[in-house]
Amino acid sequence: MSYNRLLTSLVNLRFSFLEILDLSHTSLFYLNNSVFAELPRLKHLNLSHTLISDFSSQYFSPKLTLQTLDLRGILTQDLDDYLFYNLTISQALYSDLFQICCPQIQGLVISPRACFAPADIDAISSCSNLLGFDIQRFLLWIVATLAVLGNVTVIVYRVIWDRSVLQTGYGLFVTNLGISDFIMGVYLLMIAGADSFYRDSYVLYDKSWRNSVVCKMAGFMACLSCEASTFFVFLITLDRFLVMKFPFGQVKFRGSHKTIAVVMSWVVSFLLSLVPIVLNFDIYSSNAMCLGLSLTNTHAKGWEYSVAVFIIFNLIMFLFISCGQYAIFRAMAENRISKTATSIPSSRRAEDITVAKQLSLVVLSNFLFWFPVGIMGLMSLGGHEVSSEVYAWTTVLLLPINSAANPVLYTIPALLKNWKKFKHGDQMTLSASA
């Protein structure tokens, strides 16, 4: 009965002699409960490439014993737990869905060696958990906690204890960088929370989670954080270059320029993150972490947009940042040998050099994290396979860790320096009073 496009449903089949039933490539979308109960000699059942989207355990009677069952090419929306609990398959169960071979779906009657499906759900998850390995789960909580606490420290320090620095371009950009990295920390906590919520039964909720509003919101926040952080690192680089190149402030970010740059960075990042939701792209639901990063050859709807933003655009921005870093150190070298260097207070020169060195560490960290991502993205575009393990570690650890590292590189050193000054001032006060 294969390739019969007029066949849309099956209600009752009564063929006591039937051993092979091929319903593949039909328009079949509905099966009556226990539809195969009156086929006692049935051995081979092929339902591949039909329109069935809802499977029920009632389709298969307890008496049914098959040698092969082919379910490839079926876009199943919902899966019952222990779907094949009443079914015995002696040779092979074929499916495009890894979930079919999970113990929670497959049941205990069918041998795991008889189930043939892709190796994993989305290179990140397992049958039981959203994050497949305990070490990934542990590291995700660590990075999320560090990102949230570190960037809250940045924001509070800049806004409450060091508000004067917000009048400068550097201080304003670093504060907004802290806000964007804080958003990444919140995203990581959302993913870690979902992993805990679906613990030991994730496969039953895989599709509902990836298509949920919460997952799309998490993907939006991750994209917003990545793009905003890239813009603000670029603005910080540009600001430091202008300070080094024009030490007397001939050219610099002024009040209105700083505000416009910050607002435009957030607006563009917001729009870039919103496009996949507005255009109904599937990139946020392509993996369990809701991250719109395409590094595999399995391309979801809208993967071209993901490559354009995450791979090509971010690589171009990084090249600009790297060129700016080179220009900063070149300007520093020129200032040391120029006549104007003697007109600049030594304390200010030392402070500018310290900030430039901190910036170089940030650029280096971005290079270590984004450059491999860009290379893997270009490899996948060229048809090369990126292993599921590499993809999983990239999404779980490599991308988000910048959000935890940036506060350490930017603000923590300034905090420690001011604390030392404060302690030194207290000691001077005590000595004077004595």
Side-chain angles (χ1 to χ4, degrees), residues 293 295 310-311 315 368-378 394 398-399:
L293 177 63
L295 292 180
F310 276 94
I311 305 301
L315 272 178
L368 293 176
F369 301 138
W370 276 111
F371 186 72
V373 171
I375 294 300
M376 285 186 286
L378 294 177
T394 298
L398 197 61
L399 287 180

Side-chain angles (χ1 to χ4, degrees), residues 277-318:
I277 298 176
V278 173
L279 298 183
N280 200 27
F281 290 158
D282 295 333
I283 58 176
Y284 290 156
S285 58
S286 63
N287 57 77
M289 288 194 67
C290 312
L291 190 64
L293 177 63
S294 177
L295 292 180
T296 63
N297 292 331
T298 303
H299 298 311
K301 179 184 177 182
W303 66 271
E304 300 93 341
Y305 180 81
S306 173
V307 170
V309 173
F310 276 94
I311 305 301
I312 298 176
F313 177 76
N314 285 347
L315 272 178
I316 293 174
M317 289 294 292
F318 172 75

Side-chain angles (χ1 to χ4, degrees), residues 55-285:
F55 265 94
S56 169
S57 56
Q58 299 300 316
Y59 292 159
F60 308 105
S61 65
K63 300 179 181 178
L64 190 60
T65 298
L66 298 176
Q67 292 182 8
T68 64
L69 174 61
D70 195 340
L71 300 176
R72 288 173 290 192
I74 294 179
L75 301 177
T76 305
Q77 299 298 322
D78 298 300
L79 296 172
D80 289 347
D81 54 340
Y82 294 105
L83 175 63
F84 304 108
Y85 184 77
N86 295 321
L87 180 64
T88 300
I89 299 178
S90 60
Q91 295 182 6
L93 168 61
Y94 300 101
S95 176
D96 295 331
L97 300 173
F98 175 74
Q99 295 95 319
I100 293 293
C101 292
C102 289
Q104 296 91 333
I105 303 296
Q106 179 183 306
L108 305 177
V109 179
I110 303 173
S111 170
R113 290 177 293 180
C115 195
F116 299 92
D120 51 19
I121 297 176
D122 60 6
I124 296 174
S125 306
S126 65
C127 290
S128 299
N129 300 309
L130 190 153
L131 295 175
F133 298 100
D134 290 338
I135 184 63
Q136 292 176 343
R137 190 174 301 113
F138 173 76
L139 290 175
L140 184 67
W141 277 107
I142 294 296
V143 174
T145 303
L146 290 176
V148 170
L149 295 180
N151 288 291
V152 165
T153 302
V154 171
I155 298 168
V156 171
Y157 169 72
R158 298 290 183 185
V159 173
I160 297 180
W161 284 291
D162 197 15
R163 297 189 65 176
S164 60
V165 78
L166 295 177
Q167 303 302 319
T168 67
Y170 174 79
L172 185 62
F173 299 149
V174 167
T175 303
N176 279 272
L177 177 64
I179 296 173
S180 66
D181 289 338
F182 171 77
I183 294 174
M184 177 61 75
V186 174
Y187 154 77
L188 295 174
L189 288 178
M190 292 174 65
I191 300 300
D195 173 69
S196 298
F197 183 79
Y198 295 120
R199 184 71 50 82
D200 298 328
S201 59
Y202 173 73
V203 65
L204 301 177
Y205 307 98
D206 173 55
K207 286 192 175 181
S208 61
W209 158 247
R210 288 193 283 133
N211 293 321
S212 67
V213 175
V214 177
C215 182
K216 291 180 180 179
M217 184 181 299
F220 170 83
M221 293 175 66
C223 184
L224 175 64
S225 174
C226 285
E227 299 313 308
S229 296
T230 303
F231 281 122
F232 288 122
V233 171
F234 171 75
L235 290 174
I236 292 169
T237 304
L238 180 59
D239 176 78
R240 289 297 91 192
F241 168 73
L242 295 177
V243 168
M244 290 295 178
K245 187 68 176 177
F246 306 100
F248 295 105
Q250 304 96 312
V251 180
K252 66 177 182 179
F253 276 105
R254 305 190 184 277
S256 59
H257 299 158
K258 292 180 295 186
T259 303
I260 292 173
V262 169
V263 172
M264 289 300 298
S265 297
W266 281 115
V267 168
V268 174
S269 300
F270 183 88
L271 293 177
L272 288 175
S273 307
L274 191 63
V275 165
I277 298 176
V278 173
L279 298 183
N280 200 27
F281 290 158
D282 295 333
I283 58 176
Y284 290 156
S285 58

Side-chain angles (χ1 to χ4, degrees), residues 410-430:
Y410 272 121
T411 302
I412 302 301
L415 253 175
L416 295 175
K417 181 180 177 182
N418 288 341
W419 174 250
K420 289 179 180 178
K421 287 182 178 180
F422 176 75
K423 288 183 67 178
H424 181 70
D426 281 351
Q427 290 174 0
M428 293 290 291
T429 303
L430 288 172

